Amino acid sequence: YLRLSFYGAVAVGYVVLHSTLLFVQIVSLNVGINSKNNALLTLLVSNNLVELKSSVFKRFESENLFQMSCSDAVERFHLFLFVCLICLQDYESWDSLIDFLPVGCIVYFGECFVDWIKHS
């Protein structure tokens, strides 16, 4: 029972750490989207360019390319959920949705565009 309780404690610790990191990521994206100053949003978008620069000149094996494609799909799914959650949180009227939509689309489609270039 001691071994099982140790593995359970490690699993709970991992889940708490993982959910805390996801929470920090969604809070920083929320601040970047909702701030009047576009500096943080620019920083979030520039991270995509760093990711693009680091992987565009490398040769990849087919297994590595598949792994990279799967991780990018998971990243896009997380980003889509984060943008939807931020939209739901900030939804007050149709006007606020219309104000939010361009910024949310820039963030999401910017990520999709960078992934598209990275995989081509």
Side-chain angles (χ1 to χ4, degrees), residues 47-61 64-65 68-69 71-72 75 111 113-120:
N47 284 337
N48 286 336
L49 297 177
V50 171
E51 179 184 352
L52 179 66
K53 181 183 168 190
S54 69
S55 66
V56 79
F57 294 115
K58 292 183 181 175
R59 290 228 179 253
F60 291 107
E61 298 294 325
N64 294 348
L65 190 61
M68 191 171 62
S69 298
S71 68
D72 285 340
E75 184 181 357
E111 176 71 31
F113 181 70
V114 166
D115 288 344
W116 177 64
I117 290 174
K118 189 169 67 171
H119 295 284
S120 63

Side-chain angles (χ1 to χ4, degrees), residues 19-115:
S19 58
T20 302
L21 289 175
L22 288 176
F23 182 72
V24 167
Q25 188 178 6
I26 196 169
V27 166
S28 64
L29 184 62
N30 190 6
V31 169
I33 286 176
N34 289 324
S35 72
K36 300 297 180 197
N37 187 358
N38 288 333
L40 189 57
L41 185 61
T42 304
L43 180 66
L44 291 171
V45 172
S46 69
N47 284 337
N48 286 336
L49 297 177
V50 171
E51 179 184 352
L52 179 66
K53 181 183 168 190
S54 69
S55 66
V56 79
F57 294 115
K58 292 183 181 175
R59 290 228 179 253
F60 291 107
E61 298 294 325
S62 60
E63 296 87 18
N64 294 348
L65 190 61
F66 179 71
Q67 290 259 333
M68 191 171 62
S69 298
C70 288
S71 68
D72 285 340
V74 169
E75 184 181 357
R76 279 189 298 229
F77 180 71
H78 279 163
L79 190 61
F80 176 75
L81 284 179
F82 290 169
V83 168
C84 287
L85 287 173
I86 293 169
C87 181
L88 286 174
Q89 180 187 8
D90 295 341
Y91 178 73
E92 295 171 0
S93 65
W94 285 107
D95 293 333
S96 66
L97 182 65
I98 290 172
D99 291 339
F100 175 79
L101 201 57
V103 178
C105 287
I106 286 171
V107 170
Y108 183 74
F109 289 119
E111 176 71 31
C112 292
F113 181 70
V114 166
D115 288 344

